[in-house]
């Protein structure tokens, strides 16, 4: 099974992608996670990615395309995968098309603007192990402290207001038009992303299994 997932910032895209991957026993490949791992390990790619990400900009297409191409060539991808955070631009969608993987569906998580604003303000990440929390939905046991490693919970650099404004507008301008591209191919599965996580997850599994 090969899936794509689209959704604006704070749509729950990463969380749902991880759960869907577990359900179907496929890989969860998140370009954002790969960039963040490289940033925390201070690799060359990480340094480059951080210079774009921290301000809410996209990492250049050639860099991201190469990264995805190499990742998808690894053997473990044979069991199937869900691509989270890619493609994000017309250039990336065309590049992906040329890689010739046959996709089964593209999940489109739809979340209202007011819900997005509310959620982003609540998003936190562990400074140490990078686990995501949310002061509304996935509350840590102790406020401001990571359940897993006791690390400090902070606001992701690119979740700060200026960066978020830019990321949301980039999503509308560059990524949303790709939905038509995949809709024409008959791949889009529309999902209402407003309800609580478990409900959204149930709708995804039900629609993908239908
Ligand atoms: P979100 O979906 O909330 O923006 P992600 O974790 O998917 O979070 O992405 C975080 C950042 O990583 C993006 O703002 C961008 O800078 C970079 N990034 C991730 N995927 C891509 C991509 N396909 N193309 C360019 N940049 C990307
Ligand atoms: Zn932690």
């Amino acid at each position: 099974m090969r899936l794509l997932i689209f959704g604006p910032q704070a749509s729950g895209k990463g969380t749902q992608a991880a759960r869907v991957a577990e359900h179907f026993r496929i890989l969860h490949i998140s370009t954002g996670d790969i960039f963040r791992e490289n940033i925390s390990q201070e690799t060359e790619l990480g340094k480059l990615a951080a210079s774009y990400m921290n301000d809410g900009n996209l990492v250049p297409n050639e860099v991201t395309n190469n990264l995805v191409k190499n990742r998808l060539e690894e053997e473990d991808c044979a069991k199937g995968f869900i691509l989270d955070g890619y493609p994000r631009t017309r250039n990336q969608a065309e590049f992906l098309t040329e890689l010739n993987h046959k996709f089964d569906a593209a999940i489109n998580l739809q979340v209202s603007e007011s819900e997005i604003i509310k959620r982003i303000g609540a998003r936190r990440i562990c400074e140490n192990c990078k686990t995501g929390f949310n002061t509304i939905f996935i509350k840590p046991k102790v406020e401001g402290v990571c359940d897993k490693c006791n690390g400090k919970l902070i606001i992701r650099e690119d979740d700060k207001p200026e960066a978020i404004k830019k990321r949301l507008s980039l999503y509308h301008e560059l990524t949303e038009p790709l939905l038509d591209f995949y809709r024409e191919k008959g791949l889009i599965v529309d999902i209402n992303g407003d309800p609580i996580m478990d409900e959204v997850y149930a709708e995804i599994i039900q629609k993908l299994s239908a």
Side-chain angles (χ1 to χ4, degrees):
M1 187 177 223
R2 297 194 194 91
L3 302 171
L4 298 173
I5 185 164
F6 293 98
Q9 284 67 29
S11 58
K13 174 173 64 74
T15 310
Q16 297 296 348
R19 292 182 69 175
V20 167
E22 195 174 71
H23 180 88
F24 292 109
R25 299 173 191 281
I26 57 178
L27 295 180
H28 173 210
I29 300 177
S30 156
T31 44
D33 285 351
I34 296 174
F35 288 136
R36 279 185 290 275
E37 273 159 33
N38 276 275
I39 290 172
S40 65
Q41 287 166 17
E42 300 180 358
T43 66
E44 283 309 309
L45 174 65
K47 279 176 214 160
L48 180 84
S51 69
Y52 295 95
M53 281 172 75
N54 288 346
D55 297 327
N57 290 310
L58 293 182
V59 177
N61 286 324
E62 314 82 77
V63 176
T64 312
N65 286 341
N66 252 313
L67 174 90
V68 170
K69 178 169 185 284
N70 291 335
R71 184 64 190 90
L72 296 185
E73 278 168 2
E74 282 176 44
E75 255 171 52
D76 56 352
C77 289
K79 65 176 177 181
F81 50 82
I82 179 165
L83 266 185
D84 164 9
Y86 185 93
R88 253 177 157 93
T89 63
R90 169 63 66 165
N91 172 290
Q92 293 177 11
E94 284 167 1
F95 183 87
L96 180 63
T97 302
E98 292 194 350
L99 295 183
N100 254 320
H101 295 286
K102 204 186 155 337
F103 284 93
D104 299 285
I107 301 163
N108 176 30
L109 274 183
Q110 297 171 306
V111 181
S112 59
E113 199 81 17
S114 60
E115 186 65 26
I116 290 174
I117 306 283
K118 190 174 102 191
R119 290 184 190 179
I120 285 173
R123 204 143 73 161
R124 299 289 182 277
I125 190 169
C126 172
E127 190 176 47
N128 182 39
C129 73
K130 315 294 173 198
T131 300
F133 291 87
N134 184 299
T135 58
I136 309 170
F137 315 102
I138 326 166
K139 281 192 195 148
K141 293 197 190 86
V142 180
E143 200 186 312
V145 179
C146 176
D147 290 352
K148 290 193 183 159
C149 77
N150 285 325
K152 187 177 162 202
L153 300 185
I154 56 169
I155 297 175
R156 229 164 82 178
E157 197 57 41
D158 60 352
D159 272 350
K160 299 202 169 145
E162 279 315 301
I164 263 299
K165 258 209 289 204
K166 193 178 291 167
R167 287 162 68 211
L168 279 170
S169 77
L170 284 173
Y171 184 79
H172 290 310
E173 187 192 326
L174 299 177
T175 309
E176 244 168 22
L178 302 182
L179 295 171
D180 289 335
F181 179 80
Y182 288 105
R183 210 177 282 282
E184 276 164 27
K185 296 179 190 278
L187 290 179
I188 294 285
V189 175
D190 288 308
I191 301 286
N192 177 9
D194 274 352
I196 56 163
M197 296 277 203
D198 287 350
E199 239 172 83
V200 176
Y201 173 65
E203 189 188 351
I204 294 175
I205 298 300
Q206 184 228 320
K207 285 194 171 164
L208 288 181
S209 310

